[in-house]
Amino acid sequence: KSNINQKELSIGGVIARTQVQTTIKGCKNHGLVSYEASETPGSYIHIGGVLGAGFYGTVLEDCSNEGEIFSRISQVNRMGGIVGTINTGGSVLKCKNLGKVGVENSGNDNWQAVGGILGFEEKAAPDKFLIRECRNAGELYVILNNNTTHKNKIGLGGIAGILCSPSALVENNTNTGKVHGSNSGSASLYVGGIVAWYLKGSGFKTKDNVNSGEISADANDCAAGGIIGNSSVNGSRHEGDANKGAIKCKLASATGAVAGLNDALISACSIMGSVNDVEIDASNFA
């Protein structure tokens, strides 16, 4: 337990936090990792099945989580089945999550980031952040009443929640878990089968990822996509990805088999499944 007056609180099933370049390999968590106390633990909370928060090039490889990851705290939550936050570079390689990951709160006006593998990533130098060959099969969810005005909103992704660094690469990952979010407040909700939201730097790329999980977003302002909920940077790319899942979103104009909202280049992607209960076929795929 950390001092609740500190700016950040990090909780991990194996390691809470790294402050130097660290390799974490072959670690497993089977237990509940959560924060449910009434106290407010500073400005940010990082919760991961294996690692809470990793800094300065932390690498996670061949790690797995089967435990539930949960928060009810009214704070900025950065939560992942494997790692809550990666900051200043790093990699997540060949990891898998089978556990349920989610946030439930009726009065949270802070932005949220939740992912099956990684919750939130930022501040990596170009070409210094990678998620490759990871798999999520766990159920992922947010149930919120959130009115945040922060530039980062609510991100819920099968592999990653919110990514912020230039040239981030998300490659050869698979999601089979149900990913569902709801927000009864005014804040934007972005839900993706692989990534919820990417918002900085034109070098971002998803490649050869596959989603077959059910993806849904229920909010007045929302977007949902089989690969990415909101791909908001011109010059980013989604290449060779495949969606096989059912995609649903309350806002029909922001619902897509690949992307809900998109400024990126989409190429060589394949789509199956359905969009808002309409089966995809040759007559409507465009």
Side-chain angles (χ1 to χ4, degrees):
K1 180 176 179 180
S2 297
N3 183 337
I4 62 170
N5 294 317
Q6 292 181 354
K7 183 177 180 180
E8 299 180 50
L9 178 68
S10 301
I11 303 173
V14 178
I15 298 171
R17 185 182 180 100
T18 63
Q19 281 294 121
V20 296
Q21 185 175 3
T22 306
T23 297
I24 302 168
K25 188 171 183 179
C27 293
K28 299 179 180 181
N29 175 65
H30 300 278
L32 170 68
V33 185
S34 68
Y35 190 90
E36 301 182 54
S38 59
E39 301 92 342
T40 300
S43 299
Y44 303 95
I45 183 165
H46 316 279
I47 305 179
V50 174
L51 173 66
F55 289 74
Y56 304 111
T58 294
V59 176
L60 296 104
E61 184 174 359
D62 290 318
C63 294
S64 64
N65 172 67
E66 296 181 6
E68 182 178 2
I69 315 300
F70 178 74
S71 174
R72 192 176 280 121
I73 192 71
S74 295
Q75 197 46 273
V76 176
N77 289 284
R78 299 172 170 181
M79 304 177 59
I82 299 299
V83 53
T85 295
I86 292 285
N87 190 304
T88 50
S91 300
V92 188
L93 310 170
K94 298 181 180 179
C95 294
K96 65 179 179 180
N97 174 61
L98 306 178
K100 189 174 184 178
V101 183
V103 177
E104 184 173 350
N105 196 290
S106 61
N108 192 335
D109 289 339
N110 294 282
W111 58 278
Q112 311 290 300
V114 179
I117 300 298
L118 166 71
F120 180 81
E121 180 276 331
E122 66 176 342
K123 297 182 181 178
D127 302 317
K128 296 298 182 182
F129 177 72
L130 170 68
I131 304 177
R132 176 179 285 156
E133 295 181 34
C134 292
R135 178 170 66 91
N136 175 68
E139 178 185 355
L140 311 174
Y141 69 95
V142 296
I143 302 172
L144 300 169
N145 181 357
N146 188 300
N147 300 293
T148 185
T149 57
H150 195 282
K151 63 180 180 181
N152 295 337
K153 305 303 183 182
I154 306 166
L156 173 65
I159 297 298
I162 298 175
L163 305 180
C164 298
S165 291
S167 305
L169 175 61
V170 180
E171 181 178 38
N172 287 317
N173 303 285
T174 303
N175 175 63
T176 59
K178 181 179 180 180
V179 185
H180 59 107
S182 66
N183 180 38
S184 58
S186 60
S188 300
L189 168 65
Y190 303 129
V191 182
I194 301 299
V195 177
W197 191 17
Y198 178 77
L199 66 158
K200 288 185 180 179
S202 61
F204 170 64
K205 184 177 182 179
T206 64
K207 183 179 180 181
D208 297 334
N209 301 284
V210 179
N211 172 66
S212 57
E214 179 183 323
I215 310 302
S216 65
D218 183 6
N220 289 329
D221 186 7
C222 59
I227 302 302
I228 186 164
N230 186 355
S231 187
S232 61
V233 180
N234 190 355
S236 299
R237 292 169 292 166
H238 306 294
E239 179 182 316
D241 298 308
N243 175 64
K244 303 176 182 180
I247 315 302
K248 294 183 179 182
C249 182
K250 186 175 181 179
L251 187 60
S253 61
T255 317
V258 175
L261 296 172
N262 182 61
D263 285 312
L265 172 65
I266 297 174
S267 64
C269 290
S270 61
I271 54 175
M272 300 170 62
S274 63
V275 174
N276 281 342
D277 297 320
V278 177
E279 292 293 326
I280 298 167
D281 60 28
S283 70
N284 63 21
F285 72 91

